[in-house]
Amino acid sequence: MADLRVTVDGIDLEASWSHDAPETRAALEEALPLGGDATRWGDELYFSVPVDVESENASAEVPEGAIAYWPAGNALCLFWGPTPASRGDEPRAASPVNVVARLEDVAPLAGLEGGARVSLERP
């Protein structure tokens, strides 16, 4: 069973928490539900969240489907493909992010155009 329900412009997706950044995860879990109008940057969406945590096992290279917290911008990011910072087809953040969860299926995001309304909540 999924840990999170992620909705992107009416598209329901499931995600599971990771163990990469436990303090960041705890702060985000406490703040749920979260949502906002996300900006698109390549195959990434990001939006501001009311969470302020430091870098924790942060990396600019992330797996496809990563849900990550961006400490430099107090934002939550969803990655499903290359961004302007990528060196190939891999997702890459503008600067290091704390990966907290992973989407189970990113295929529905391929048809997105522009920004989107994003929400995260418990299932």
Side-chain angles (χ1 to χ4, degrees):
M1 181 175 180
D3 299 318
L4 290 167
R5 180 174 39 190
V6 180
T7 305
V8 180
D9 270 358
I11 301 167
D12 287 327
L13 304 167
E14 294 182 339
S16 297
W17 291 115
S18 72
H19 302 288
D20 299 324
E23 291 178 24
T24 306
R25 171 186 164 174
L28 289 167
E29 271 189 292
E30 189 174 311
L32 288 175
L34 293 167
D37 292 320
T39 300
R40 182 154 180 188
W41 191 61
D43 286 349
E44 172 194 345
L45 288 170
Y46 66 94
F47 64 98
S48 294
V49 293
V51 173
D52 186 10
V53 295
E54 299 296 320
S55 290
E56 181 182 16
N57 299 319
S59 175
E61 292 180 34
V62 297
E64 183 178 272
I67 299 174
Y69 174 77
W70 183 38
N74 292 63
L76 201 61
C77 312
L78 281 66
F79 295 90
W80 70 92
T83 68
S86 295
R87 297 182 182 143
D89 291 337
E90 90 288 353
R92 181 181 286 270
S95 60
V97 293
N98 304 345
V99 175
V100 294
R102 189 152 181 194
L103 293 166
E104 294 177 8
D105 182 15
V106 297
L109 299 176
L112 280 180
E113 296 182 23
R117 179 82 184 158
V118 177
S119 66
L120 283 85
E121 60 189 358
R122 291 176 182 88

PDB file of all heavy atoms in Angstrom, residues 58-72:
ATOM      1  N   ALA A  58      21.780  15.064   0.929  1.00  0.00           N
ATOM      2  CA  ALA A  58      21.325  15.733  -0.292  1.00  0.00           C
ATOM      3  C   ALA A  58      22.186  15.404  -1.502  1.00  0.00           C
ATOM      4  O   ALA A  58      23.383  15.172  -1.385  1.00  0.00           O
ATOM      5  CB  ALA A  58      21.297  17.247  -0.069  1.00  0.00           C
ATOM      6  N   SER A  59      21.534  15.411  -2.652  1.00  0.00           N
ATOM      7  CA  SER A  59      22.215  15.151  -3.915  1.00  0.00           C
ATOM      8  C   SER A  59      21.468  15.863  -5.034  1.00  0.00           C
ATOM      9  O   SER A  59      20.240  15.974  -4.990  1.00  0.00           O
ATOM     10  CB  SER A  59      22.244  13.644  -4.197  1.00  0.00           C
ATOM     11  OG  SER A  59      22.788  13.399  -5.473  1.00  0.00           O
ATOM     12  N   ALA A  60      22.201  16.316  -6.046  1.00  0.00           N
ATOM     13  CA  ALA A  60      21.555  16.918  -7.214  1.00  0.00           C
ATOM     14  C   ALA A  60      21.037  15.831  -8.153  1.00  0.00           C
ATOM     15  O   ALA A  60      20.047  16.028  -8.853  1.00  0.00           O
ATOM     16  CB  ALA A  60      22.519  17.843  -7.947  1.00  0.00           C
ATOM     17  N   GLU A  61      21.693  14.676  -8.173  1.00  0.00           N
ATOM     18  CA  GLU A  61      21.240  13.558  -9.005  1.00  0.00           C
ATOM     19  C   GLU A  61      20.191  12.787  -8.224  1.00  0.00           C
ATOM     20  O   GLU A  61      20.419  12.387  -7.093  1.00  0.00           O
ATOM     21  CB  GLU A  61      22.408  12.635  -9.337  1.00  0.00           C
ATOM     22  CG  GLU A  61      23.424  13.259 -10.243  1.00  0.00           C
ATOM     23  CD  GLU A  61      24.568  12.313 -10.549  1.00  0.00           C
ATOM     24  OE1 GLU A  61      24.329  11.093 -10.648  1.00  0.00           O
ATOM     25  OE2 GLU A  61      25.693  12.806 -10.673  1.00  0.00           O
ATOM     26  N   VAL A  62      19.020  12.597  -8.850  1.00  0.00           N
ATOM     27  CA  VAL A  62      17.924  11.908  -8.185  1.00  0.00           C
ATOM     28  C   VAL A  62      17.351  10.840  -9.116  1.00  0.00           C
ATOM     29  O   VAL A  62      17.479  10.943 -10.332  1.00  0.00           O
ATOM     30  CB  VAL A  62      16.812  12.895  -7.763  1.00  0.00           C
ATOM     31  CG1 VAL A  62      17.329  13.903  -6.753  1.00  0.00           C
ATOM     32  CG2 VAL A  62      16.219  13.610  -8.953  1.00  0.00           C
ATOM     33  N   PRO A  63      16.706   9.820  -8.560  1.00  0.00           N
ATOM     34  CA  PRO A  63      16.086   8.801  -9.410  1.00  0.00           C
ATOM     35  C   PRO A  63      14.802   9.322 -10.042  1.00  0.00           C
ATOM     36  O   PRO A  63      14.154  10.239  -9.518  1.00  0.00           O
ATOM     37  CB  PRO A  63      15.801   7.654  -8.447  1.00  0.00           C
ATOM     38  CG  PRO A  63      15.681   8.296  -7.111  1.00  0.00           C
ATOM     39  CD  PRO A  63      16.599   9.485  -7.134  1.00  0.00           C
ATOM     40  N   GLU A  64      14.426   8.726 -11.154  1.00  0.00           N
ATOM     41  CA  GLU A  64      13.148   9.047 -11.776  1.00  0.00           C
ATOM     42  C   GLU A  64      12.033   8.741 -10.774  1.00  0.00           C
ATOM     43  O   GLU A  64      12.047   7.712 -10.110  1.00  0.00           O
ATOM     44  CB  GLU A  64      12.972   8.192 -13.030  1.00  0.00           C
ATOM     45  CG  GLU A  64      11.708   8.487 -13.793  1.00  0.00           C
ATOM     46  CD  GLU A  64      11.615   7.655 -15.046  1.00  0.00           C
ATOM     47  OE1 GLU A  64      12.143   8.097 -16.088  1.00  0.00           O
ATOM     48  OE2 GLU A  64      11.027   6.556 -14.977  1.00  0.00           O
ATOM     49  N   GLY A  65      11.100   9.665 -10.650  1.00  0.00           N
ATOM     50  CA  GLY A  65      10.000   9.490  -9.712  1.00  0.00           C
ATOM     51  C   GLY A  65      10.270  10.049  -8.330  1.00  0.00           C
ATOM     52  O   GLY A  65       9.414   9.976  -7.453  1.00  0.00           O
ATOM     53  N   ALA A  66      11.456  10.626  -8.127  1.00  0.00           N
ATOM     54  CA  ALA A  66      11.802  11.148  -6.806  1.00  0.00           C
ATOM     55  C   ALA A  66      10.890  12.306  -6.408  1.00  0.00           C
ATOM     56  O   ALA A  66      10.542  13.160  -7.221  1.00  0.00           O
ATOM     57  CB  ALA A  66      13.256  11.621  -6.776  1.00  0.00           C
ATOM     58  N   ILE A  67      10.515  12.288  -5.133  1.00  0.00           N
ATOM     59  CA  ILE A  67       9.881  13.434  -4.497  1.00  0.00           C
ATOM     60  C   ILE A  67      10.926  13.918  -3.504  1.00  0.00           C
ATOM     61  O   ILE A  67      11.382  13.146  -2.664  1.00  0.00           O
ATOM     62  CB  ILE A  67       8.574  13.054  -3.787  1.00  0.00           C
ATOM     63  CG1 ILE A  67       7.566  12.490  -4.798  1.00  0.00           C
ATOM     64  CG2 ILE A  67       7.999  14.263  -3.052  1.00  0.00           C
ATOM     65  CD1 ILE A  67       6.294  11.964  -4.165  1.00  0.00           C
ATOM     66  N   ALA A  68      11.328  15.161  -3.646  1.00  0.00           N
ATOM     67  CA  ALA A  68      12.447  15.660  -2.850  1.00  0.00           C
ATOM     68  C   ALA A  68      12.159  17.062  -2.320  1.00  0.00           C
ATOM     69  O   ALA A  68      11.428  17.837  -2.934  1.00  0.00           O
ATOM     70  CB  ALA A  68      13.713  15.676  -3.704  1.00  0.00           C
ATOM     71  N   TYR A  69      12.784  17.358  -1.186  1.00  0.00           N
ATOM     72  CA  TYR A  69      12.709  18.690  -0.588  1.00  0.00           C
ATOM     73  C   TYR A  69      13.950  19.460  -0.997  1.00  0.00           C
ATOM     74  O   TYR A  69      15.074  18.952  -0.892  1.00  0.00           O
ATOM     75  CB  TYR A  69      12.627  18.578   0.937  1.00  0.00           C
ATOM     76  CG  TYR A  69      12.695  19.906   1.632  1.00  0.00           C
ATOM     77  CD1 TYR A  69      11.587  20.746   1.661  1.00  0.00           C
ATOM     78  CD2 TYR A  69      13.865  20.333   2.240  1.00  0.00           C
ATOM     79  CE1 TYR A  69      11.648  21.983   2.293  1.00  0.00           C
ATOM     80  CE2 TYR A  69      13.935  21.555   2.880  1.00  0.00           C
ATOM     81  CZ  TYR A  69      12.825  22.389   2.894  1.00  0.00           C
ATOM     82  OH  TYR A  69      12.890  23.603   3.513  1.00  0.00           O
ATOM     83  N   TRP A  70      13.752  20.686  -1.466  1.00  0.00           N
ATOM     84  CA  TRP A  70      14.855  21.544  -1.914  1.00  0.00           C
ATOM     85  C   TRP A  70      15.136  22.572  -0.823  1.00  0.00           C
ATOM     86  O   TRP A  70      14.400  23.549  -0.678  1.00  0.00           O
ATOM     87  CB  TRP A  70      14.464  22.218  -3.211  1.00  0.00           C
ATOM     88  CG  TRP A  70      15.492  23.075  -3.857  1.00  0.00           C
ATOM     89  CD1 TRP A  70      16.835  22.857  -3.929  1.00  0.00           C
ATOM     90  CD2 TRP A  70      15.252  24.294  -4.558  1.00  0.00           C
ATOM     91  NE1 TRP A  70      17.449  23.858  -4.633  1.00  0.00           N
ATOM     92  CE2 TRP A  70      16.486  24.757  -5.033  1.00  0.00           C
ATOM     93  CE3 TRP A  70      14.107  25.024  -4.838  1.00  0.00           C
ATOM     94  CZ2 TRP A  70      16.618  25.932  -5.767  1.00  0.00           C
ATOM     95  CZ3 TRP A  70      14.239  26.189  -5.570  1.00  0.00           C
ATOM     96  CH2 TRP A  70      15.480  26.632  -6.030  1.00  0.00           C
ATOM     97  N   PRO A  71      16.181  22.350  -0.004  1.00  0.00           N
ATOM     98  CA  PRO A  71      16.464  23.262   1.110  1.00  0.00           C
ATOM     99  C   PRO A  71      16.739  24.707   0.675  1.00  0.00           C
ATOM    100  O   PRO A  71      16.358  25.638   1.384  1.00  0.00           O
ATOM    101  CB  PRO A  71      17.715  22.667   1.766  1.00  0.00           C
ATOM    102  CG  PRO A  71      17.739  21.245   1.342  1.00  0.00           C
ATOM    103  CD  PRO A  71      17.107  21.213  -0.008  1.00  0.00           C
ATOM    104  N   ALA A  72      17.346  24.900  -0.474  1.00  0.00           N
ATOM    105  CA  ALA A  72      17.679  26.253  -0.925  1.00  0.00           C
ATOM    106  C   ALA A  72      16.434  27.084  -1.226  1.00  0.00           C
ATOM    107  O   ALA A  72      16.495  28.319  -1.194  1.00  0.00           O
ATOM    108  CB  ALA A  72      18.575  26.184  -2.161  1.00  0.00           C
TER     109      ALA A  72
END
